[in-house]
Amino acid sequence: QVQLVESGGGLVQPGGSLRLSCTASGFSLDYYYIGWFRQAPGKEREGVSCIGVSDDNTYYVDSVKGRFTISRDRAKNTVYLQINSLKVEDTGVYYCAADGLTNVQAMCHAALRYDYGQGTQVTVSS
């Protein structure tokens, strides 16, 4: 079965950190662009960060630059999203998606294009 599974969310205080994981089963992530998206309560799903087939090809939306880091572990067939300096407005369900032919900026601005799994909930609250 081909699927992506997100994990690592939780409840954290403002300023805290989390590391989200997007793990693939049934296929290798090595040749796919991977994007992280989130949906806050009452808002549309939006792209957060995307990584290309080359690990140094990354993109971040302005609201997360300097706080989020996307990376890939090929041995674990997993893409991570390290989230630091969490803000209340980072609260939402985080999802990942894969695309075989795109570019990182386009992928991160095409949230409606992809199908998603269950996601992982991130709640930032004091």
Side-chain angles (χ1 to χ4, degrees), residues 62-78:
D62 287 345
S63 60
V64 308
K65 282 181 181 177
R67 300 189 298 121
F68 289 20
T69 303
I70 192 169
S71 62
R72 185 196 300 264
D73 186 331
R74 297 180 187 275
K76 295 183 178 180
N77 208 24
T78 296

Side-chain angles (χ1 to χ4, degrees), residues 44-126:
E44 292 186 354
R45 194 165 299 173
E46 62 174 355
V48 172
S49 179
C50 296
I51 188 168
V53 173
S54 174
D55 292 349
D56 60 355
N57 183 17
T58 59
Y59 177 82
Y60 301 90
V61 297
D62 287 345
S63 60
V64 308
K65 282 181 181 177
R67 300 189 298 121
F68 289 20
T69 303
I70 192 169
S71 62
R72 185 196 300 264
D73 186 331
R74 297 180 187 275
K76 295 183 178 180
N77 208 24
T78 296
V79 171
Y80 300 104
L81 186 68
Q82 177 69 41
I83 310 176
N84 299 326
S85 303
L86 276 159
K87 303 177 180 180
V88 172
E89 52 264 40
D90 293 320
T91 294
V93 181
Y94 283 68
Y95 306 87
C96 61
D99 195 326
L101 185 64
T102 184
N103 66 69
V104 288
Q105 183 172 356
M107 185 177 190
C108 267
H109 291 280
L112 297 179
R113 176 176 176 176
Y114 303 103
D115 295 323
Y116 299 95
Q118 296 294 317
T120 186
Q121 175 72 47
V122 173
T123 302
V124 185
S125 175
S126 56

Side-chain angles (χ1 to χ4, degrees), residues 6-12 18-21 92 94 119-123:
E6 304 91 345
S7 62
L11 172 63
V12 295
L18 285 171
R19 188 178 76 161
L20 308 184
S21 299
Y94 283 68
T120 186
Q121 175 72 47
V122 173
T123 302

